[in-house]
Amino acid sequence: MLPRIWYSPAYDLEWDGHVFPAGKYRATRDRLLADGVIAAADLGKSELLDRGSLLCGHTVDYLDRLEAMTATPQLGYYEFEAPCSRRVLDGFYAMAGGTLAACRAALERTEPGCVGFAANLGGGFHHAFPWKGEGFCAINDIVVAIRVLLTEGAIERAAVVDLDVHQGNGTAKAFEDEERVFTMSMHQQNNYPVKQRSDLDVGLPDKCEDARYLDELARALPVVQEAQPDLVLYVAGADPFHRDQLGGLSLTLDGMAGRDARVYEAFLGGGVPVVGTLAGGYSADEKDVVEIHYRMVREGLEASAAIGR
Ligand SMILES: [Zn+2]
């Protein structure tokens, strides 16, 4: 059996001073281990994804451009608003490996009476397009993982449930003409990025609070269920939280946990495996971000275990 939770020290992007708190990856892992939510045996080490797999989601020209950028890391700022050193690029390759491995683990654990939940303690880089990076995202691990699994025949259909505060524009564009993949994004309408068209977009008003958010989510999830995915990739950004510096919604910690619970109820409860990825999160206090990611993983494992009992 594959481990359910995926991580690598390579995730520690050296983005010191950048608004993206890359230290959250290690901190989330440490918290899960310290609280006994996971044991060392539950933790897999993500490998750098090979170029052939990366090419399932990105063009040759773009991957070559990223490699060339490692010689002049500042060029990354022009492409995706963060430096692109060797270390950073390997971090993105490792997180793409982690998302794919988590998908395999969730599928492996799904059989009659049992439904798999797995998570990558990284990933969720939904602003990267097949041919370009954007918004701190170099490699779209969500797109790459789904494309690899479809190509292998491991799944016939997939859905992306993207609840980061920013629209999943790169993912939406990549799957625009792909009938086997249903993309759903629920986000703050009046915020970055320039929107692309998902199969279902729910644009929320500024300062949207828990009750309205959870109502909208309850209306949206059945639409995704109708697509009958074999696997759901959950882009669980921490940035709808009210203290987020790059988000303008007003969710509390309880609202964030309620969001996760509804996703698990809709899919794990219906026998569909779910893979969680961390995506964004920019509270000035990194502890908020880690708390939200930590709960997402803990609740997913508990929901999956409750169904297996
Ligand atoms: Zn975001």
Side-chain angles (χ1 to χ4, degrees):
M1 277 273 179
L2 289 166
R4 291 175 292 185
I5 308 298
W6 292 82
Y7 170 80
S8 161
Y11 291 11
D12 293 2
L13 310 174
E14 287 172 341
W15 278 353
D16 298 347
H18 193 279
V19 68
F20 192 99
K24 72 179 187 176
Y25 300 126
R26 179 183 296 273
T28 303
R29 179 206 62 172
D30 289 350
R31 177 91 193 278
L32 289 163
L33 286 170
D35 286 4
V37 173
I38 60 170
D42 295 317
L43 201 57
K45 186 182 176 200
S46 310
E47 300 294 337
L48 273 58
L49 198 61
D50 62 281
R51 185 175 168 94
S53 300
L54 293 167
L55 281 168
C56 291
H58 291 285
T59 63
V60 172
D61 284 354
Y62 177 51
L63 293 182
D64 286 349
R65 191 162 74 247
L66 283 174
E67 286 292 334
M69 272 183 220
T70 61
T72 44
Q74 295 309 309
L75 285 180
Y77 273 103
Y78 295 103
E79 180 95 28
F80 59 91
E81 298 168 85
C84 187
S85 61
R86 178 77 263 155
R87 169 89 184 216
V88 167
L89 200 48
D90 284 350
F92 276 106
Y93 293 167
M95 287 195 252
T99 296
L100 180 56
C103 290
R104 295 194 195 286
L107 289 167
E108 185 186 60
R109 288 166 189 272
T110 301
E111 51 193 34
C114 197
V115 61
F117 170 81
N120 181 12
L121 303 183
F125 292 106
H126 57 167
H127 300 311
F129 287 67
W131 58 88
K132 67 168 182 146
E134 194 183 298
F136 319 149
C137 301
I139 295 291
N140 193 320
D141 53 293
I142 303 291
V143 171
V144 169
I146 291 174
R147 285 273 178 223
V148 168
L149 295 167
L150 285 171
T151 303
E152 287 177 349
I155 55 172
E156 291 179 5
R157 285 184 298 278
V160 180
V161 172
D162 190 330
L163 301 184
D164 190 276
V165 80
H166 305 102
Q167 195 217 22
N169 57 337
T171 311
K173 190 68 183 173
F175 291 131
E176 193 174 35
D177 299 319
E178 176 53 82
E179 289 182 359
R180 296 172 295 177
V181 181
F182 189 94
T183 55
M184 178 274 219
S185 178
M186 197 166 106
H187 46 264
Q188 183 189 6
Q189 185 62 27
N190 179 30
N191 200 334
Y192 169 89
V194 175
K195 310 289 185 291
Q196 299 294 325
R197 200 162 153 182
S198 314
D199 292 301
L200 176 62
D201 282 301
V202 182
L204 298 170
D206 298 356
K207 306 286 181 201
C208 181
E209 296 183 352
D210 292 353
R212 165 90 185 264
Y213 186 96
L214 296 174
D215 272 359
E216 295 279 359
L217 185 58
R219 266 197 288 277
L221 290 173
V223 182
V224 186
Q225 286 171 306
E226 280 172 25
Q228 299 190 300
D230 300 321
L231 176 69
V232 168
L233 276 88
Y234 177 26
V235 181
D239 46 14
F241 185 57
H242 67 97
R243 281 198 286 270
D244 199 88
Q245 302 174 94
L246 301 186
L249 300 184
S250 298
L251 269 68
T252 65
L253 272 181
D254 283 348
M256 298 295 293
R259 170 192 82 156
D260 299 336
R262 277 162 181 74
V263 172
Y264 300 145
E265 192 184 325
F267 298 105
L268 295 176
V272 183
V274 174
V275 169
T277 59
L278 303 195
Y282 311 94
S283 171
D285 187 346
E286 191 181 303
K287 286 203 283 292
D288 290 334
V289 178
V290 172
E291 178 71 24
I292 291 163
H293 293 323
Y294 164 84
R295 290 189 187 198
M296 180 277 283
V297 175
R298 186 185 66 188
E299 300 310 315
L301 290 169
E302 284 180 2
S304 163
I307 290 158
R309 277 200 281 272

